[in-house]
Amino acid sequence: MHIVSFVVAMAAFVLGLWLFGLAFTVEVWQGPIFISGILAVSAAIAIPAHVLRD
């Protein structure tokens, strides 16, 4: 279970970083893309914190 949560968290973290970069290259929707990047990175940090809490 820890390996699955790590893979999901790492994928969410990389997706969030990609969204950060994408927000600066697109012409429209910069704000929502950047905020979704923040939410993805926050979820990537929250997933292992809740799984490893036990």
Side-chain angles (χ1 to χ4, degrees):
M1 184 66 176
H2 293 296
I3 295 173
V4 174
S5 66
F6 171 76
V7 170
V8 170
M10 183 59 81
F13 187 77
V14 170
L15 175 68
L17 291 181
W18 181 75
L19 287 172
F20 286 154
L22 181 67
F24 289 103
T25 60
V26 295
E27 301 279 330
V28 294
W29 297 97
Q30 295 96 352
I33 293 173
F34 191 80
I35 290 172
S36 62
I38 291 173
L39 292 175
V41 170
S42 299
I45 294 170
I47 290 169
H50 286 287
V51 170
L52 297 176
R53 185 171 50 180
D54 296 336

